[in-house]
């Protein structure tokens, strides 16, 4: 910005100098030439006043002393030089002055003024005053040099003033830019300082207010997440302890129900942990989910969801034929994602639902397929809050995909007929040194939603 301000100021000064200097240079030249011609005219008139009409009969002529650089001479009607200095024979201005007119002209590199001398209505001679054109031209060049020096001085002052003003204007903007970079790097306490420029202060004030509002919103969300963590964990733990205590009672009629309730509370507890881990709750520690074998994970998933699909007269089929037995994934997040996809298929899909695990060497692909088709446009199915004309909150698939991204994986709609969602997750083999991560591109269309 500083360079831009300086360029604008210098350009404006240059335009002003050009518009002023050119007419002024022309005026200097015209004025100096006119002054020299006037000086010659005065000298010639002074000489003509001192010439006696009897000079033709031999009376001596005393012309006034000319100024430095000038010549003054008296010519008779025969164009002969009779007194003073000048060419021996009168030139064209002298010849024209014999017609009783004052003549001004330029000839032979000289400025010439010729004044006629009259007696008894007859021209009896001509006084010629002259000076070198080069002398006048030298004075013109000196005047132009002085003008150029003044212009350069004005330009220098303009550059200095422009640079100072540029610093005054750019400093608060640079400070605002540094403040924005600090905010980008995570410092939400940074605030732009006031300056001497009202408009920039207004921008900084608005920016500070916006940042304050955003900071308050973020802290409220973090506090809500921490509060939800505390308030949900406590009753869930109490409910789980109560159900486990009920299992210790010797009542075979309630044991199956209590075991199912305990399993449901454990799953709910795991869901809360995964949601809080994804949200990154402030001040709440969440360890990484333990690894589980893929086959075991699919068996638990089928056991959990088989009865619900059977109640609807539908079939659930889970298979992992080509997946090695030692393939491990993070059980908690993957189970939550599969739960969201199966609930989505149960609510919005139809027919048999198949969960198929495929080994991709460096990753694991989990396909969830039903016999329906998406009710929403493929381009909008991954928009948070879009329900596609059905029921639901429009959050489930968005949450599932966020969980997949937090694992370093990817969730996307692989096919629309039949509906197939594919989950790609990193896989680790039991005994290996680390997880082979999935190299996937970001999904288009933003967060997901139910069909």
């Amino acid at each position: 910005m500083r360079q831009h301000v300086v360029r604008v100021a210098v350009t404006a000064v240059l335009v002003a100098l050009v518009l002023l200097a050119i007419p002024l240079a022309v005026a200097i030249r015209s004025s100096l030439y006119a002054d020299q011609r006037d000086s010659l005219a005065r000298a010639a008139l002074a000489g003509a006043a001192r010439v006696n009409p009897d000079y033709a009969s031999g009376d001596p002529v005393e012309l006034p002393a000319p100024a430095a650089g000038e010549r003054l001479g008296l010519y008779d009607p025969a164009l002969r030089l009779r007194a003073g200095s000048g060419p021996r024979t009168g030139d064209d201005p002298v010849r024209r002055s014999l017609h009783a007119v004052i003549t001004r002209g330029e000839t032979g590199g000289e400025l010439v003024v010729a004044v006629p001398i009259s007696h008894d209505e007859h021209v009896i001679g001509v006084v010629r005053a002259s000076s070198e054109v080069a002398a006048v031209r030298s004075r013109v060049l000196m005047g132009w040099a002085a003008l150029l020096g003044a212009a350069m001085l004005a330009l220098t002052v303009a550059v200095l003033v422009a640079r100072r003003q540029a610093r005054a204007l750019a400093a608060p903007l640079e400070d605002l830019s540094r403040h924005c970079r600090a905010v980008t790097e995570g410092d939400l306490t940074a605030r732009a300082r006031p300056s001497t420029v009202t408009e920039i202060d207004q921008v900084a004030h608005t920016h500070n207010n916006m940042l304050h509002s955003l900071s308050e919103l973020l802290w409220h969300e973090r506090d809500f997440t921490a509060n939800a963590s505390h308030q949900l964990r406590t009753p869930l733990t109490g409910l789980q302890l109560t159900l486990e205590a009920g299992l210790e009672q010797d009542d075979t009629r309630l044991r199956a129900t209590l075991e199912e309730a305990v399993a449901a509370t454990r799953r709910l507890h795991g869901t809360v942990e995964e949601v809080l881990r994804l949200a990154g709750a402030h001040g709440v520690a969440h360890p990484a989910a333990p690894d589980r074998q893929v086959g075991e994970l699919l068996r638990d998933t089928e056991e959990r969801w088989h009865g619900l699909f059977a109640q609807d007269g539908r079939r659930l089929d889970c298979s992992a034929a080509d997946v090695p037995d030692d393939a491990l994934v993070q059980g908690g997040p993957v189970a939550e994602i599969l739960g969201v996809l199966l609930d989505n298929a149960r609510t919005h899909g139809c027919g048999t639902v198949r969960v198929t695990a495929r080994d991709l060497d460096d990753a694991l692909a989990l396909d969830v397929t039903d016999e329906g088709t998406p009710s929403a446009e493929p381009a909008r199915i991954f928009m948070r809050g879009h329900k596609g004309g059905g029921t639901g909150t429009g959050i489930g698939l968005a949450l599932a995909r966020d969980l997949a991204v937090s694992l370093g994986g990817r969730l996307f709609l692989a096919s629309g007929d039949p509906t197939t969602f594919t989950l790609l997750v990193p896989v680790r083999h039991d005994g290996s040194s680390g997880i082979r991560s999935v190299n996937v591109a970001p999904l288009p269309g933003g967060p997901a939603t139910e069909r």
Side-chain angles (χ1 to χ4, degrees):
M1 177 180 176
R2 296 189 181 189
Q3 294 181 353
H4 180 71
V5 172
V6 172
R7 282 198 300 267
V8 170
V10 171
T11 301
V13 171
L14 283 176
V15 171
L17 288 177
V18 169
L19 294 178
L20 178 64
I22 291 178
L24 189 57
V26 174
I28 289 175
R29 182 183 183 280
S30 300
S31 176
L32 290 177
Y33 273 88
D35 288 346
Q36 184 61 31
R37 289 191 179 96
D38 291 343
S39 177
L40 293 176
R42 287 194 298 270
L45 289 171
R50 298 185 58 177
V51 174
N52 192 319
D54 296 333
Y55 82 92
S57 60
D59 192 22
V61 178
E62 294 183 2
L63 295 176
E70 296 181 0
R71 295 194 298 175
L72 192 63
L74 173 63
Y75 293 82
D76 60 18
L79 301 179
R80 290 175 300 181
L81 179 63
R82 299 296 297 271
S85 60
R88 291 184 176 275
T89 303
D91 50 13
D92 184 65
V94 175
R95 187 179 296 108
R96 284 184 288 154
S97 291
L98 292 174
H99 298 286
V101 293
I102 297 176
T103 304
R104 290 180 172 87
E106 183 177 337
T107 179
E110 289 184 324
L111 291 177
V112 178
V113 176
V115 176
I117 302 172
S118 300
H119 182 69
D120 294 334
E121 297 183 358
H122 294 285
V123 176
I124 60 174
V126 175
V127 177
R128 178 184 183 273
S130 64
S131 65
E132 296 291 334
V133 175
V136 183
R137 188 179 296 116
S138 298
R139 283 186 288 169
V140 170
L141 293 178
M142 291 177 60
W144 286 356
L147 178 62
L148 179 60
M152 294 303 297
L153 178 61
L155 183 61
T156 302
V157 173
V159 170
L160 294 177
V161 173
R163 293 183 62 180
R164 182 174 180 179
Q165 290 299 110
R167 285 195 299 269
L169 290 174
L173 290 178
E174 292 171 352
D175 179 70
L176 183 60
S177 177
R178 287 191 296 269
H179 156 70
C180 292
R181 284 196 299 269
V183 173
T184 302
E185 294 171 358
D187 184 10
L188 298 182
T189 63
R191 294 293 184 272
R193 295 176 297 181
S195 66
T196 58
V197 183
T198 305
E199 291 76 7
I200 298 178
D201 283 346
Q202 292 176 351
V203 175
H205 181 70
T206 303
H207 186 81
N208 289 341
N209 289 341
M210 177 189 68
L211 183 59
H212 177 74
S213 300
L214 290 177
S215 300
E216 290 292 327
L217 179 61
L218 289 175
W219 284 112
H220 287 165
E221 290 183 353
R222 290 175 179 177
D223 290 343
F224 172 78
T225 304
N227 293 337
S229 171
H230 180 273
Q231 295 302 108
L232 288 176
R233 278 177 170 176
T234 301
L236 283 176
T237 301
L239 177 60
Q240 185 173 343
L241 291 175
T242 302
L243 293 175
E244 289 176 350
L247 287 176
E248 296 177 358
Q249 304 296 325
D250 188 13
D251 191 339
T252 56
R253 294 174 300 174
L254 297 177
R255 187 170 186 82
T257 303
L258 290 176
E259 287 178 349
E260 183 177 353
V262 168
T265 57
R266 288 173 179 169
R267 288 194 297 269
L268 180 58
H269 192 277
T271 299
V272 172
E273 289 295 327
E274 289 305 318
V275 172
L276 294 174
R277 182 185 64 84
L278 180 63
H282 180 67
V284 181
H286 300 282
D291 293 334
R292 294 185 62 185
Q293 292 183 348
V294 177
E296 178 187 355
L297 179 63
L298 291 181
R299 285 193 296 271
D300 290 347
T301 300
E302 185 173 13
E303 180 180 350
R304 175 186 174 187
W305 288 91
H306 175 76
L308 295 175
F309 280 99
Q311 292 176 5
D312 298 335
R314 298 171 63 185
R315 178 185 172 188
L316 174 64
D317 182 16
C318 299
S319 62
D322 62 344
V323 177
D325 294 337
D326 62 346
L328 302 177
V329 295
Q330 294 190 38
V334 174
E336 291 299 327
I337 296 171
L338 290 178
V340 171
L341 295 177
L342 290 174
D343 181 68
N344 189 69
R346 179 170 175 258
T347 304
H348 303 284
C350 62
T352 300
V353 178
R354 293 179 176 84
V355 180
T356 306
R358 295 181 286 118
D359 184 25
L360 303 180
D361 292 334
D362 61 346
L364 180 72
L366 292 168
D367 300 321
V368 179
T369 306
D370 63 64
E371 298 177 359
T373 57
S375 59
E377 300 177 5
R380 304 185 62 189
I381 198 170
F382 292 109
M383 294 177 60
R384 178 178 290 271
H386 181 69
K387 305 175 184 179
T391 60
T393 61
I395 297 177
L397 288 179
L399 173 62
R401 202 182 77 164
D402 290 343
L403 287 171
V405 172
S406 71
L407 295 176
R410 183 182 180 190
L411 175 64
F412 59 96
L413 179 65
S415 174
D417 189 13
T419 301
T420 302
F421 287 93
T422 297
L423 171 65
L424 298 178
V425 292
V427 65
R428 184 172 69 86
H429 290 273
D430 192 14
S432 63
S433 59
I435 296 178
R436 293 179 291 173
S437 60
V438 189
N439 296 321
V440 293
L443 286 176
T449 183
E450 279 95 340
R451 285 181 284 155

